Amino acid sequence: MATSLPSAARATAPLATGGITAASGTAASSSNTVLVPLKLNAFALTPATCASANRYSIAPITQPNYTFLRLHDNLIVPDILDHVDLHQVSPANLNSRLTDLGTGQTRQNRLGVYIHWTLPPVYRAGSAAAPTTSGATDPNQADRKLSQGFPSSSAAAPSYGAATDYTTPDFRPVPNRWLVIRHINTNTVAPAGAKIPEFQSWVIESDRLWNINDPDLKTADLEVDVSPSTNPLLFDPSNGTVVEGQAEAFIGKCTPISTWSEGTGNHINLNVMTSSNPLFADYQPHNSNVFSFLDNFSYTSSGGATAYLTKASCDYQVIGWHSDANQDPFTTDQRVTAPPHVNRLNDCQMALKSADSDTAIAWLGSSNPTRVLCHATMYDVAYDAASVPPNVKANTAGQLLQQKQSIAVGVTPLDALIAYCRAHESIDNATLATLEQDLLRIQSLLITGESDDVDALQAAADECFEQAFSKVDGGTRWHFHQESDPSTVPTTTQVATMKTLNKNQKVFDNTVREATTKRWELFANWWLYVSGFGQTVSTGTFQSNVTGIAQRLSDLTGATGRQAELKSNIEAATASLTVSSTRQQPQQGTADRFFQRKEPTVLFGNIQAGFENDYRDATKVRLDNQVVLPAPGALASGWSTLSTTLDSIIPKLPTALQTSARALGFEFYQLRAANNITSTTLPQVIPWFHNETARSESRGRDMWQGTQPWMPLFIEYEAVYYHVPFSKWKLKESPMLSNWGASVLHYGFDEDISKSPNVDDRTISGRVILEPQAAATLCNTLQQIFQNTNQSDLENIYGMPASEQANLLNNLSYIEFASSGMTNLTSDLLTLQQGGQHVKPTVRLTNSAPIAVQAATSAASAIGFSPTLMQAMDTQTTMTPYGSSVALDSDAPPMKLVTHGQIMFTKLNVIDKFGQAISAINPAPVNYGAANPTISPCLSDTYFPGTIGNVNPSDSTARANCVIPQGDNKSCPFINLPPGINQPARLNAAFVTKSNGSWTTSSEWENPIWGWLVVNFAEQGLQFFLADGTFYREVRFGGSTGTQTTAKWLPYDPPTTLPNTSQLDFLIQKLGIKAYLSSFVDMVLQSTSSNQVAAPDSYAAFSSAIVGKPLALVNIGYSLELAGPENKNWSTVNSQGPDLHLLQPNGTSFPPKAAGGYTFPVKLGDVDRTFDGLVGYFNSATAAPGNSSDLDLSSIYTYYPSNASPQPDDPRVRISASEGNFPLFTPYFNSAGRAGDPVVDQATNMQVFGAIMDPFLPIHAYSVILPNKALSLPNWTVQEALRKINAFWRIGPMLVATDMPQTYDPTRALDTDSVDLGILSPGANAVTDPTETLPKVALPLPAPVASASGANAMYRYLQPYVVPTIDQTTGANLGNRTEYNVFGISGDAAAGADAAQARLPDGPYTAIEGYAQIVQKNSPAAPAA
């Protein structure tokens, strides 16, 4: 029967002590509380969930075992959390989570409904300061955190004498009190007649700390009543028992609110990382009575015994708060000024719903004290101990995982998704095929946000390849910062100082990286000694290791060490540059990064995300005056005791929150399922996670509706890695769909690798937390790109009109998927263990540098560790060495410097937040000697091993080329892992020049060009110019030997200062051979007639544009650099070194193809990619004494050989992977050295080539083991030369009907510094038409055709004169020289009547012979420096 309040009370009186007037249905006038919605999930655990027929399993409870943090008796282990064991988990009597396996009794106290609330992002985001350039941390970080709502402890000074360090992430305290209200429909309970109240409430104290010896824990179930944790109260590094005590701590307490009171027992400051367990906040078995609650429906029977309901339907509400207001994120410390609430919302990743009302606007601008109240609800949770809910999502997911190819492997989530679509397009429907093509088309926009055509799509596909690598900081590079006049260029001295500065900086960066390695090696030796995993190593060896590492750290970082020396050099250079120039200031930038290949990404199709799709959005909060309250009148049947329930529990909450909590209690009633409320009238606002119509949800997210949740949280895998010898791998080129017709360089096999016995295999394993909202994130990215990209480009270039954009987004929503990288793969191959929870010998407290733990120091004092040396480890304590902790499967060397093999999954389990697990591979035990079960995932192009004999994979005879033979063309369980260096490396590329007999890298303010060449079509020859565009000489066909080489400089005078032209002379000398010149010209013509990208529009401003692009001659250098020394084998079970090394034992690089060393080919340029500028290149000469060429000019490596059969003396060699003629590189590492050692130039390690390149396009280097590397000329070097370069050719002898001046006029001398302008007589049109005031000669030359290139071009004539050279002192004739005067060309003879007449004009006639030259009417402006 429904009850109601007396009408008078409804109209006038507040209910008890609350601020809600139930009759009026209005909220309290206060708006000081921020209501933060949480997502609540409810999971029903019954014996039926463990049925053998299920396609999912219930994981036994596996919790962190903090006993393995203890330092004595070799107890410490790399990871205190074991993998979930699913071998025998069904039926329920075999599952330790539900059954006591010792007695066989069902654990009735563990059955029931588990509810878990997901913490919002505000509590998961840490605040940390970035290190400053001096190595210190930002001194403003403390005040910044206080202004963002962090508690006063976040700004506290370090304790225990530690240095201040704000670089450690600081997380906000989480709400530590949770009120759980259960409303039960008493008509649904079984057994019938069970005495259970309509409402029951409990308080969860998340921060309650327990010790294993506490009396209250004697009867507790330690796996469900409390949660294991570390004990922050013992975090006193000087306490010798600090580590021992961590194994005895638990947190969490649940108390019926009727008996609960605040303030009893020990409590800790709790945040998401307090337990050092990354799964802590989200994995319910790890956070019982902290962020989750078990309702086992216990009650007291009529006989006084504890009994349990077997059926019930109920609703849950959870309200959370901070017991200490000073830890509330909306409380501001008094030391700083409180910001407006709108700023605090932004800092907390929140947004106010319905923020446009007057009240909301006023509140957003206010900074009055405010509190936070978290809340969540879940309605109609039906529990039946004898069955499972009607809709078990995990069962559906498990069925799909086992029946379809639901797993894909790719370089990135997008790459894996494309592979997934490609594999399923014939299985599902056309949707996936369409989605694949759409993703490929849109890929370039995902990278750059802009594009033009297929060339850009090819470039984007190449850029996608970089996403296969992790970026590692490469350090700092200095450059000039232009503060004012952009035409100001640094002086030669400043450029030299900048080069010195960068050389010192590069070595300084090496010291930082090497010191980081040495810090970890300190930890590794401590770990092996204390753990006992290094028991085969003597104490003396450990002592020697530690002493050597400590000495090297001192050499690097000591007061007089290498870093101090280099830092002094850097400061001196920057000070010099700052003083010497007011316009060019030294500025820090980022040096080229190092890269390391990522582990493959595993994508699970048909698996929803473990978090809500909008979880990463700003949390939509409300104010307490926006609560949805019931209308005046009676409370519905079954809810009649709500008011009295609230009267009894609300007073136990903090006074400041009671009004808001009471309002939420009535909203719990109002939004119940029976009301079906989807909209309200302001000021009331529906909370997030209720069934908002704007979300187009099929069901409200706070409605259980018989659905068991499935929230995948992490995966655990095991796999077997088979190491395929490096000699089997061949660098190949092949077209791939994802690169839009351009050939792709990749490693593959030329033989059936299954025929070679493989005895080098390893079992590896890992645990990976799944990335949330992979599909939603991609959809959001695409939506932003569609909004920010020109719609006509989307439609015309990408074929993505508005309708297709909508289809793409719809198709993406059609697929549920989650993904994550295969972490641990690389570390295992390096004999390291990554990501595990283990004891660390130092602690980092808030705002503090690492502090040595006394017990950890004492445990290793015998091998030389002191507190100071312990602190030298800094933060390098995450990775642990193998030692003897890992058994090895074979006798082969365990450590792999370079990955090159194949991997096959043998275990792949997906576990959700409640411990539901689905398995891609049957986890049941395998009979001895039987083959491991496995799967055949969908593979992207990168990881497909190819087929034996390169047979089309769709052919029925095709077999995947795997280490274990395959029986049909449908199975390929092996993921191909092409060669990848297992440590950070980079491919360096630079222009280089010769100085004092040695190669040096060119800075951006040094011209690396040693010549230019232009095709002289009129005379079938090549014209050569110096780096600045000054004409040098010409080689053309003709003469008795078949070629002619003109005199130097003509028709110009030699420069005042003669440059070094030796390399250009060697090339011109070689071109004097007819066959060489013929091949060279053919190569140039083929390159210019190919489909290369056109020159930029700015090129049209130069006269040379009329005859085509000039080509630049440059020297380029490449090297393969390691960020640190070669990795070591850290296994003490098998201490063999690797078969192949990256470096020689003395740390130097191997010669290419040397025995025992890795050699990697690198492809320079690419003919298929029109955005690449390489025409050809020369190798360096093996020896270049005194007067020899630095380059081996006998062979030209190019993509443009003759189309006809090559002649025996054709110097061209076609660049081809099949020919195996790519340049070969071996890695190097430059040690930082010691104080006083010289600082060397990077070019000393480079392999140098002479290159012929398009000056407007970069040269690309392709290695596959690293991202592609582009090298472009500085713009100013090209512009400077183009101002001088012009086309000219000989004409004559030719009869003209006008006479020529008989003597040389020195006032019209040909000036090489103003080629386009010429020497002009004064005249009004001198600038606009440089030939207008020149004397004219009548030549039958029409003006050049106007076009986009060279539209303002015209001809002029250069007439030679023999001029005596007179000694200015004695007057003696020193001999004759040739000089040239400039003449204009009369247009009268170029067209019109004379051109049509078959006779010469009337005489007299003059025979002339000289040069015709193209000039420009309007001189281009001087280039900006």
Side-chain angles (χ1 to χ4, degrees):
M1 173 179 173
T3 62
S4 64
L5 294 172
S7 59
R10 292 200 304 269
T12 60
L15 288 178
T17 59
I20 300 289
T21 302
S24 63
T26 59
S29 60
S30 167
S31 61
N32 289 337
T33 305
V34 179
L35 305 181
V36 180
L38 308 181
K39 180 65 179 76
L40 193 66
N41 289 290
F43 167 73
L45 180 66
T46 68
T49 58
C50 294
S52 301
N54 293 345
R55 297 300 183 94
Y56 66 100
S57 304
I58 298 298
I61 295 177
T62 305
Q63 293 180 324
N65 188 342
Y66 292 101
T67 299
F68 294 124
L69 297 179
R70 291 177 170 174
L71 297 172
H72 60 76
D73 298 328
N74 304 140
L75 286 173
I76 62 175
V77 294
D79 192 354
I80 62 174
L81 179 62
D82 290 332
H83 275 212
V84 174
D85 186 357
L86 299 178
H87 284 96
Q88 294 287 353
V89 293
S90 62
N93 65 334
L94 297 179
N95 193 314
S96 61
R97 184 171 178 179
L98 288 80
T99 303
D100 185 333
L101 299 183
T103 65
Q105 297 297 310
T106 300
R107 301 180 188 267
Q108 291 291 342
N109 65 302
R110 295 187 178 185
L111 304 181
V113 172
Y114 291 76
I115 62 171
H116 174 270
W117 45 95
T118 303
L119 292 176
V122 60
Y123 296 112
R124 299 172 184 266
S127 176
T132 63
T133 55
S134 63
T137 54
D138 187 349
N140 299 317
Q141 177 67 4
D143 286 349
R144 184 180 300 115
K145 289 197 292 184
L146 294 179
S147 296
Q148 292 172 346
F150 280 78
S152 58
S153 59
S154 292
S159 51
Y160 308 107
T164 302
D165 186 351
Y166 292 113
T167 59
T168 302
D170 188 12
F171 294 87
R172 298 177 190 269
V174 297
N176 54 2
R177 298 292 180 271
W178 302 92
L179 171 63
V180 179
I181 303 174
R182 183 192 68 194
H183 167 254
I184 196 165
N185 184 343
T186 55
N187 295 326
T188 64
V189 300
K195 300 297 183 182
I196 196 158
E198 187 177 71
F199 286 94
Q200 274 186 279
S201 303
W202 300 263
V203 171
I204 302 291
E205 295 180 59
S206 298
D207 59 348
R208 177 63 160 90
L209 178 67
W210 303 94
N211 183 274
I212 189 67
N213 296 317
D214 282 336
D216 288 349
L217 290 191
K218 289 184 178 180
T219 58
D221 185 335
L222 297 183
E223 290 187 323
V224 296
D225 292 339
V226 290
S227 297
S229 177
T230 56
N231 183 356
L233 299 184
L234 292 179
F235 280 174
D236 179 353
S238 62
N239 183 344
T241 63
V242 61
V243 178
E244 302 298 309
Q246 301 306 322
E248 303 171 348
F250 297 87
I251 58 173
K253 181 182 180 183
C254 177
T255 309
I257 197 166
S258 59
T259 60
W260 175 78
S261 61
E262 183 65 84
T264 59
N266 292 323
H267 295 83
I268 61 174
N269 290 326
L270 182 66
N271 62 48
V272 291
M273 294 307 296
T274 296
S275 72
S276 302
N277 175 6
L279 298 175
F280 171 59
D282 298 302
Y283 191 44
Q284 186 281 321
H286 289 183
N287 59 40
S288 294
N289 288 332
V290 178
F291 304 123
S292 62
F293 167 76
L294 165 58
D295 185 4
N296 58 20
F297 299 100
S298 63
Y299 68 98
T300 302
S301 67
S302 57
T306 299
Y308 300 89
L309 295 181
T310 57
K311 282 188 178 182
S313 178
C314 46
D315 310 302
Y316 294 95
Q317 182 177 50
V318 175
I319 297 176
W321 68 94
H322 294 266
S323 64
D324 181 356
N326 292 321
Q327 294 190 338
D328 192 298
F330 272 77
T331 298
T332 304
D333 189 276
Q334 294 180 352
R335 286 172 286 180
V336 296
T337 302
H341 293 145
V342 64
N343 292 3
R344 182 60 53 80
L345 286 174
N346 291 334
D347 291 335
C348 294
Q349 303 177 57
M350 297 176 181
L352 183 64
K353 292 194 76 174
S354 298
D356 52 356
S357 68
D358 292 342
T359 303
I361 292 172
W363 182 87
L364 289 170
S366 168
S367 57
N368 292 336
T370 308
R371 293 289 301 275
V372 157
L373 202 60
C374 299
H375 65 99
T377 55
M378 181 58 68
Y379 296 99
D380 287 349
V381 180
Y383 172 73
D384 184 347
S387 65
V388 296
N391 181 16
V392 180
K393 287 190 169 185
N395 205 53
T396 303
Q399 185 175 7
L400 291 172
L401 186 65
Q402 295 167 10
Q403 290 183 350
K404 302 173 68 173
Q405 280 186 303
S406 293
I407 298 171
V409 179
V411 172
T412 63
L414 180 59
D415 187 43
L417 179 58
I418 291 173
Y420 177 86
C421 295
R422 187 176 299 165
H424 286 78
E425 59 188 34
S426 61
I427 300 175
D428 292 350
N429 52 46
T431 300
L432 291 175
T434 303
L435 177 58
E436 176 198 355
Q437 291 302 312
D438 287 345
L439 290 174
L440 287 171
R441 266 184 300 186
I442 212 68
Q443 204 162 202
S444 62
L445 286 177
L446 290 172
I447 296 171
T448 63
E450 58 184 36
S451 184
D452 290 318
D453 47 28
V454 172
D455 298 329
L457 293 173
Q458 291 176 349
D462 285 348
E463 288 184 47
C464 281
F465 181 63
E466 185 173 313
Q467 298 179 39
F469 298 86
S470 299
K471 295 178 176 136
V472 181
D473 181 31
T476 297
R477 180 170 178 80
W478 295 83
H479 58 92
F480 289 111
H481 175 60
Q482 298 174 342
E483 293 185 346
S484 52
D485 185 0
S487 66
T488 302
V489 298
T491 65
T492 303
T493 301
Q494 290 170 343
V495 171
T497 302
M498 180 62 76
K499 290 186 71 172
T500 300
L501 170 58
N502 276 315
K503 285 195 290 186
N504 278 273
Q505 181 67 55
K506 187 175 188 299
V507 180
F508 181 87
D509 295 334
N510 276 352
T511 68
V512 174
R513 289 189 290 269
E514 188 176 350
T516 299
T517 300
K518 293 302 175 185
R519 296 183 197 282
W520 181 83
E521 288 181 0
L522 273 180
F523 168 71
N525 279 270
W526 175 89
W527 176 269
L528 291 176
Y529 179 77
V530 174
S531 67
F533 295 136
Q535 55 191 342
T536 60
V537 181
S538 68
T539 300
T541 300
F542 276 121
Q543 289 174 335
S544 177
N545 291 346
V546 171
T547 300
I549 297 168
Q551 181 59 54
R552 182 55 181 157
L553 273 173
S554 178
D555 291 342
L556 291 170
T557 63
T560 59
R562 186 64 156 162
Q563 281 189 0
E565 175 192 51
L566 294 166
K567 189 175 181 180
S568 176
N569 294 346
I570 291 169
E571 290 172 348
T574 54
S576 170
L577 289 170
T578 302
V579 170
S580 64
S581 174
T582 58
R583 292 181 174 179
Q584 296 283 356
Q585 301 295 324
Q587 185 175 19
Q588 283 182 303
T590 302
D592 289 345
R593 292 184 176 94
F594 289 95
F595 295 90
Q596 183 172 344
R597 188 183 285 275
K598 295 177 184 175
E599 289 92 349
T601 295
V602 181
L603 179 141
F604 295 84
N606 300 305
I607 291 183
Q608 68 183 65
F611 292 78
E612 297 298 306
N613 287 338
D614 50 4
Y615 177 76
R616 284 181 174 170
D617 296 349
T619 305
K620 305 302 188 298
V621 302
R622 299 176 298 161
L623 302 180
D624 59 3
N625 65 353
Q626 296 177 311
V627 175
V628 181
L629 295 174
L635 295 173
S637 175
W639 292 78
S640 59
T641 59
L642 175 61
S643 294
T644 55
T645 298
L646 295 177
D647 288 346
S648 65
I649 64 178
I650 295 300
K652 294 200 172 189
L653 274 64
T655 303
L657 299 174
Q658 289 180 10
T659 298
S660 304
R662 190 177 185 84
L664 288 173
F666 279 102
E667 184 178 69
F668 179 38
Y669 162 76
Q670 180 65 4
L671 295 181
R672 67 194 187 281
N675 271 5
N676 193 28
I677 294 177
T678 59
S679 62
T680 58
T681 302
L682 292 176
Q684 297 185 358
V685 178
I686 288 179
W688 213 18
F689 302 124
H690 193 59
N691 52 343
E692 301 168 279
T693 54
R695 290 184 49 82
S696 301
E697 295 174 329
S698 59
R699 65 185 185 93
R701 289 186 285 176
D702 56 359
M703 303 293 171
W704 202 62
Q705 294 186 352
T707 300
Q708 192 88 295
W710 165 242
M711 310 295 287
L713 185 60
F714 61 97
I715 66 172
E716 291 180 340
Y717 73 88
E718 283 184 1
V720 180
Y721 170 79
Y722 295 85
H723 198 60
V724 179
F726 188 63
S727 59
K728 304 287 185 184
W729 299 82
K730 307 299 179 185
L731 200 59
K732 298 168 166 281
E733 291 179 289
S734 67
M736 291 186 182
L737 178 63
S738 57
N739 284 69
W740 302 93
S743 64
V744 176
L745 205 62
H746 70 106
Y747 277 97
F749 308 111
D750 286 338
E751 59 183 277
D752 181 356
I753 62 171
S754 69
K755 293 183 178 179
S756 301
N758 192 307
V759 295
D760 190 353
D761 58 81
R762 292 269 307 283
T763 297
I764 60 175
S765 60
R767 179 186 301 113
V768 183
I769 297 178
L770 288 170
E771 298 176 4
Q773 304 92 36
T777 300
L778 180 57
C779 283
N780 290 338
T781 302
L782 287 173
Q783 286 176 326
Q784 293 174 8
I785 289 174
F786 291 154
Q787 292 170 3
N788 298 328
T789 304
N790 186 292
Q791 291 301 308
S792 63
D793 287 348
L794 287 170
E795 183 168 351
N796 299 326
I797 297 173
Y798 296 99
M800 296 291 291
S803 58
E804 193 63 29
Q805 296 170 35
N807 287 338
L808 173 57
L809 295 174
N810 289 336
N811 289 343
L812 276 174
S813 63
Y814 165 80
I815 302 176
E816 290 184 331
F817 64 90
S819 66
S820 191
M822 288 180 62
T823 57
N824 289 67
L825 171 58
T826 300
S827 56
D828 267 304
L829 295 179
L830 292 174
T831 60
L832 305 171
Q833 291 181 289
Q834 175 186 4
Q837 297 170 255
H838 57 264
V839 68
K840 298 180 181 180
T842 61
V843 295
R844 293 194 77 179
L845 304 179
T846 302
N847 305 334
S848 157
I851 308 167
V853 176
Q854 178 184 323
T857 306
S858 301
S861 60
I863 60 173
F865 274 100
S866 64
T868 301
L869 191 56
M870 196 72 72
Q871 287 174 199
M873 297 179 191
D874 198 40
T875 59
Q876 303 304 311
T877 56
T878 302
M879 200 98 67
T880 57
Y882 261 22
S884 60
S885 64
V886 177
L888 300 173
D889 301 326
S890 72
D891 295 329
M895 198 270 292
K896 311 301 181 188
L897 292 169
V898 179
T899 297
H900 42 83
Q902 295 182 342
I903 192 169
M904 178 182 73
F905 285 115
T906 55
K907 179 179 87 173
L908 194 55
N909 299 326
V910 185
I911 298 99
D912 95 324
K913 66 168 51 183
F914 290 105
Q916 297 175 103
I918 61 174
S919 302
I921 301 170
N922 189 342
V926 178
N927 293 331
Y928 180 78
N932 287 321
T934 186
I935 56 169
S936 291
C938 314
L939 300 177
S940 73
D941 293 332
T942 301
Y943 296 120
F944 179 58
T947 58
I948 299 172
N950 294 320
V951 176
N952 189 315
S954 62
D955 193 299
S956 61
T957 63
R959 297 294 182 271
N961 201 350
C962 305
V963 293
I964 297 177
Q966 301 302 302
D968 55 50
N969 67 336
K970 296 180 180 179
S971 60
C972 181
F974 286 92
I975 303 165
N976 212 44
L977 300 179
I981 298 175
N982 288 331
Q983 62 187 88
R986 66 185 173 196
L987 187 62
N988 294 315
F991 294 104
V992 297
T993 56
K994 208 63 171 292
S995 176
N996 298 322
S998 300
W999 292 109
T1000 62
T1001 55
S1002 298
S1003 74
E1004 61 267 35
W1005 290 106
E1006 293 177 303
N1007 194 335
I1009 300 169
W1010 52 269
W1012 292 87
L1013 68 87
V1014 174
V1015 178
N1016 182 347
F1017 290 96
E1019 297 183 293
Q1020 296 185 332
L1022 298 174
Q1023 293 180 341
F1024 290 90
F1025 300 80
L1026 301 185
D1028 65 353
T1030 299
F1031 175 74
Y1032 183 52
R1033 63 196 310 187
E1034 181 177 9
V1035 183
R1036 54 179 175 258
F1037 292 103
S1040 59
T1041 63
T1043 66
Q1044 292 179 325
T1045 302
T1046 65
K1048 298 179 180 179
W1049 315 115
L1050 292 180
Y1052 303 98
D1053 288 336
T1056 305
T1057 302
L1058 293 178
N1060 181 0
T1061 60
S1062 59
Q1063 188 57 63
L1064 199 53
D1065 289 333
F1066 284 121
L1067 177 60
I1068 291 173
Q1069 180 183 4
K1070 201 72 174 175
L1071 289 167
I1073 303 172
K1074 182 178 180 182
Y1076 197 101
L1077 177 61
S1078 176
S1079 300
F1080 198 97
V1081 170
D1082 182 59
M1083 172 187 70
V1084 171
L1085 293 179
Q1086 283 193 52
S1087 72
T1088 55
S1089 63
S1090 69
N1091 59 342
Q1092 281 188 326
V1093 173
D1097 292 342
S1098 59
Y1099 180 46
F1102 301 98
S1103 61
S1104 56
I1106 196 67
V1107 292
K1109 289 185 292 187
L1111 298 177
L1113 302 171
V1114 295
N1115 290 326
I1116 54 178
Y1118 293 90
S1119 62
L1120 181 55
E1121 181 184 5
L1122 302 178
E1126 181 178 283
N1127 288 315
K1128 302 176 182 179
N1129 178 11
W1130 290 95
S1131 171
T1132 57
V1133 174
N1134 182 343
S1135 59
Q1136 292 183 75
D1139 292 333
L1140 294 177
H1141 288 267
L1142 294 170
L1143 300 172
Q1144 298 192 80
N1146 63 0
T1148 60
S1149 59
F1150 282 95
K1153 293 188 175 181
Y1158 278 101
T1159 298
F1160 301 100
V1162 174
K1163 174 186 175 184
L1164 302 182
D1166 193 296
V1167 69
D1168 290 335
R1169 289 163 170 81
T1170 60
F1171 48 83
D1172 184 84
L1174 181 68
V1175 175
Y1177 66 85
F1178 307 100
N1179 286 331
S1180 292
T1182 53
N1187 297 319
S1188 299
S1189 170
D1190 294 321
L1191 305 174
D1192 178 4
L1193 301 175
S1194 62
S1195 297
I1196 310 172
Y1197 292 85
T1198 180
Y1199 295 100
Y1200 307 102
S1202 173
N1203 293 325
S1205 299
Q1207 300 299 316
D1209 50 359
D1210 190 332
R1212 289 173 293 177
V1213 178
R1214 180 168 178 80
I1215 302 172
S1216 170
S1218 60
E1219 298 295 333
N1221 56 17
F1222 292 159
L1224 302 176
F1225 290 84
T1226 60
Y1228 79 94
F1229 167 67
N1230 274 345
S1231 171
R1234 290 176 169 81
D1237 288 351
V1239 176
V1240 299
D1241 191 280
Q1242 174 178 293
T1244 57
N1245 301 103
M1246 284 187 155
Q1247 192 173 159
V1248 175
F1249 306 88
I1252 308 157
M1253 69 177 294
D1254 184 322
F1256 302 108
L1257 297 174
I1259 296 175
H1260 295 83
Y1262 304 88
S1263 68
V1264 182
I1265 60 170
L1266 288 168
N1268 306 331
K1269 184 70 175 179
L1271 182 63
S1272 300
L1273 283 168
N1275 287 336
W1276 69 270
T1277 62
V1278 179
Q1279 293 178 3
E1280 180 184 69
L1282 292 181
R1283 292 184 65 243
K1284 286 188 176 183
I1285 292 176
N1286 59 81
F1288 60 92
W1289 60 92
R1290 290 188 311 163
I1291 59 173
M1294 182 179 293
L1295 293 178
V1296 296
T1298 56
D1299 199 3
M1300 299 292 292
Q1302 300 300 304
T1303 59
Y1304 173 68
D1305 182 355
T1307 64
R1308 296 204 312 281
L1310 186 59
D1311 183 357
T1312 60
D1313 292 327
S1314 55
V1315 173
D1316 285 349
L1317 291 176
I1319 299 299
L1320 306 179
S1321 300
N1325 297 323
V1327 174
T1328 58
D1329 189 348
T1331 66
E1332 186 172 308
T1333 58
L1334 295 176
K1336 302 293 192 295
V1337 58
L1339 292 176
L1341 288 176
V1345 177
S1347 64
S1349 296
N1352 293 322
M1354 63 183 302
Y1355 294 120
R1356 68 181 182 182
Y1357 174 66
L1358 311 181
Q1359 173 65 42
Y1361 291 91
V1362 177
V1363 180
T1365 302
I1366 307 299
D1367 189 303
Q1368 299 299 316
T1369 303
T1370 65
N1373 189 338
L1374 301 179
N1376 295 329
R1377 69 182 191 278
T1378 303
E1379 297 287 355
Y1380 288 82
N1381 277 158
V1382 181
F1383 293 86
I1385 294 177
S1386 171
D1388 293 341
D1394 287 342
Q1397 295 173 355
R1399 64 177 179 82
L1400 288 171
D1402 294 335
Y1405 304 112
T1406 301
I1408 64 171
E1409 184 174 10
Y1411 288 92
Q1413 182 185 41
I1414 293 179
V1415 295
Q1416 201 148 4
K1417 290 183 180 181
N1418 298 310
S1419 174

